[in-house]
Amino acid sequence: KQMNSNSAQDTNNENRSIWSTLGSAIDVKSARSPSAIFLITIRVSMALAFHIFNTIWTVSLKKRFDFGPSDHGKFMSFVGFVFAFSQGFAAKRMLAPLSRKGRVRLLQACCVALGVGRVVAYQVDSLAIVYVMFGLIVTALGVVNTVLTADTCLIATSAEIGGLFGVLEAAQSGAGMVGPLIGGALAKIHPVTAPLAAVVFLYIVVFFLVAFGYEKLLYRQHNEKDETSEESGKASSEIKKEM
């Protein structure tokens, strides 16, 4: 009986240690900071816009251009190629000469390109223009994703950066589940205007978030942290000299 009770206690201790480890992994302090909440809001808004638009986009391609499986395959191959090109080549070339304020302006331009591009791509009857618009849209998405990923590293320590990226991915996955439901509900109000208006509204929200909060919540706070760490480093070096 004593052996059974000891083994049961060991099992309970192991379960507690597993749950405590999982809890500590999920509890990411940097994810609760204003900067992280700001980035999560931007990513969720953009993910919602993407998924709401997709609820009407496939049907639109079928109605306007009689898209079949082969046409969809070609279109998605084009999208994948442009996205890889924008992240691997174009984004780096565009961001390299820009200051932090310039990066903010570039993010705003990408928001405009995403909103206007999706509306134009939905309205036109020329497949060539659709490809051009989506080239612009996907390039803008690649640039935005590159900037947000790079700037996420500014708000978390090396020990927490993996957990913060996990929280961001979870938030986007949640938007991927909610977005189609919202798109379907809006389509009942009006099959085209309501979802498109929601998409444009979300990009406008992101535009103003970037305009009024990005530099303040990400770049300035990062600079303040750098200054604080430099001051503490100088203070510790002075103490060591005195000793």
Side-chain angles (χ1 to χ4, degrees):
K1 289 181 179 178
Q2 188 174 0
M3 290 178 65
N4 289 334
S5 63
N6 288 336
S7 62
Q9 188 174 0
D10 291 340
T11 303
N12 289 333
N13 290 334
E14 287 178 4
N15 290 335
R16 287 174 186 171
S17 64
I18 291 170
W19 285 111
S20 63
T21 303
L22 287 173
S24 61
I26 294 170
D27 185 22
V28 183
K29 290 182 180 179
S30 58
R32 298 194 296 269
S33 67
S35 301
I37 294 170
F38 179 77
L39 277 180
I40 290 169
T41 304
I42 289 177
R43 284 195 174 271
V44 168
S45 297
M46 297 194 74
L48 285 174
F50 173 82
H51 289 288
I52 291 172
F53 184 77
N54 273 359
T55 58
I56 60 174
W57 177 243
T58 305
V59 178
S60 170
L61 288 175
K62 179 67 177 176
K63 284 183 178 179
R64 287 182 293 164
F65 309 112
D66 195 24
F67 254 44
S70 176
D71 298 310
H72 276 291
K74 292 175 184 176
F75 185 74
M76 294 311 297
S77 296
F78 168 77
V79 168
F81 172 78
V82 174
F83 189 71
F85 175 80
S86 67
Q87 284 196 297
F89 181 80
K92 292 179 181 179
R93 298 297 184 277
M94 284 190 277
L95 292 170
L98 296 178
S99 63
R100 286 180 170 177
K101 190 166 286 187
R103 288 157 75 102
V104 171
R105 298 291 177 265
L106 181 60
L107 283 175
Q108 290 177 277
C110 288
C111 290
V112 174
L114 286 164
V116 174
R118 290 194 188 279
V119 172
V120 173
Y122 193 92
Q123 300 292 340
V124 296
D125 292 323
S126 169
L127 187 57
I129 297 177
V130 169
Y131 269 88
V132 170
M133 287 295 103
F134 255 79
L136 178 66
I137 290 166
V138 176
T139 301
L141 278 174
V143 172
V144 170
N145 191 57
T146 301
V147 174
L148 294 182
T149 301
D151 290 343
T152 301
C153 300
L154 300 176
I155 63 175
T157 61
S158 57
E160 288 192 339
I161 190 65
L164 179 57
F165 274 115
V167 172
L168 288 169
E169 288 296 326
Q172 285 183 275
S173 298
M177 291 186 287
V178 175
L181 295 175
I182 296 174
L186 291 170
K188 290 182 179 180
I189 299 172
H190 191 281
V192 176
T193 304
L196 272 182
V199 169
V200 172
F201 172 76
L202 286 166
Y203 284 128
I204 291 172
V205 168
V206 174
F207 179 91
F208 283 108
L209 284 173
V210 171
F212 296 108
Y214 203 91
E215 190 173 1
K216 178 182 177 181
L217 287 171
L218 269 76
Y219 295 149
R220 288 181 187 173
Q221 284 193 8
H222 178 64
N223 290 338
E224 289 173 2
K225 286 181 182 178
D226 287 345
E227 290 173 1
T228 304
S229 61
E230 286 178 7
E231 288 175 0
S232 62
K234 288 178 181 178
S236 61
S237 62
E238 287 176 2
I239 292 170
K240 287 180 181 178
K241 286 179 182 178
E242 290 176 359
M243 292 176 65

